[in-house]
Amino acid sequence: MDPEVVLRDTRLQVRPGETVRTTATVRNTNDVVAQYTFEVLGPAAAWAEVIPTSVSVVRRGESTVQVLFRPPAGPGTAAGTVPFALRCASRENQDSAAVADGELAVGAIHEVVASLSPSIARGRWTGRWTARFDNRGTAPARLRLSASDDRRALGFALAPAELVVEPGQTGYAYLKARASRPVLLGALARQQVRLTYTRATGADEKVAEGFIDVAFERTPVLTRTIAALAGTALVGGLVAAVLLARATPRDETASLDVAAPLQPTGLNAASGAGGAIRLSWLEVAGARKYAIYKLAGEADDAPAEEARRVDPPVTVLVWKGLQGGARTCFRLVAVNEGGISEPSSLQCASAGITPVASPTPTDSPDPSGSPDPSGSPTPADSPHPTLSPTPGPQVTSPGPPDPGVPAREPEGSYVVLGISPKKDPTAQRTQESARRQGEIDRALGERTRLADADASRRLSAHYAGFMVIYLDGFLSLADAQEYCTQLRAGGKLGPNPLCEVFPGPAGGEAPLATAPSTTASTGMPVARPATAIPTPAVAQ
């Protein structure tokens, strides 16, 4: 007879970086002593631990084990409800098993690190700063910005005044202060400037507020030496009067010889892959960085909702995460030491819509008469033949799809960043792949996807029998190749990282980088370097 297993708590709450535990009781319904093993299934399995992992229970007796969950801290752990299941199986007969279901509510962490540079701005009339906001929490940060000075003698402009920073991302805002009157004589006049940011909270949360203090040093129009010489003679007084009469407001926050960039031109918005819009523009001479603003509407005076930074010489940005089919408008400004340019003309486009995935093949009965415990089709049942990376006796053969990893076809062109063979037990290989995915996400600041190649028609053609970590949604093969070129140059994943490029479903081309081969000793795939294209990678 099957055992009986009961969770003490079916709903648990935990914050990333903390531990929550509960107990599970297994009852032996047989008349003989039985040994049982435990494993946690579902998305929360990578965070789970069962102590002990197996027990021996006397006939008609009970035994208790502890179940622990430790979600890792960091932006990679999203807030929300994660389902899990505890499976208890007989060591002697794996078909004799029981499952108890539960939910893990992962709380949100709010952590925004703000900075403002330069710490001291100098000028006769104006001072300029760049504010940076790093969201190190697990939930989006909606920030409202305001500026003030200790003497209330300055006027301020902020662009944008509100912005949203996603977990693990960085947001930028630009602050300008202007004095109502200049300092004619004397030493530098220093004023304290404060940038205050307030995070929007729910009705049951406390208001979260922070601030950054910097200084604005106003340089006098006339120095002490000139004023002394002007007092010694009438000629000197006349010279001083002429200089004073000709003094005009000038921006000198960084360099008197640097002018603000010209207004950007050639901004173009085009529909991209699912939920994406591709933006491109002409290079602006003298620009040190660009700021792209997503607007709240299509009117010329629509306020900015979000801003993203692009560093020259890159003049392309793929804005992802938009609602498919929704029309969105953008403006562009160029920035250097001399100031901020006039905004470009408004450009709008509709985000691409993700195509509906094709139906999954139905399961076939097991020849032995026992159902497949994973509930997924086996390679033999699939209408598409699967291929190992390179034919050879040590290449891992395809296996059944992993029940702990959702099946999903890559969208558009994509790059493969990590693979691992499926020769370990299901829970162990899922945890190891999930840990590797987390390492890659933290190193790149991207949200990659983990998939079982045997559950995907496109992935199984190249990586049958492997777990695959990939990044998709590229508009073309060239965009994907640019990403790999930048990745290898940056060295974020080591000196020779795996970065295989594959076309979209309508491309019909071979991958730009050769498929991985296997070593003679381990059977693990080895990345071969792709052909470099000398085009800068798109900055996100």
Side-chain angles (χ1 to χ4, degrees), residues 34 132 163 246 281 296-297 304 324 338 358 368 419 424 438 444 459 475 524-525 539:
R132 172 179 175 141
L163 71 159
R246 297 181 59 185
W281 58 92
S358 58
S368 63
I419 53 178
D424 300 327
L444 301 182
L459 295 175
L475 301 183
M524 289 293 290

Side-chain angles (χ1 to χ4, degrees), residues 327-349:
R327 186 172 176 81
T328 308
C329 297
F330 302 87
R331 283 190 189 276
L332 169 71
V333 298
V335 184
N336 67 4
E337 298 89 340
I340 305 174
S341 72
E342 293 295 326
S344 69
S345 60
L346 181 143
Q347 291 293 323
C348 306

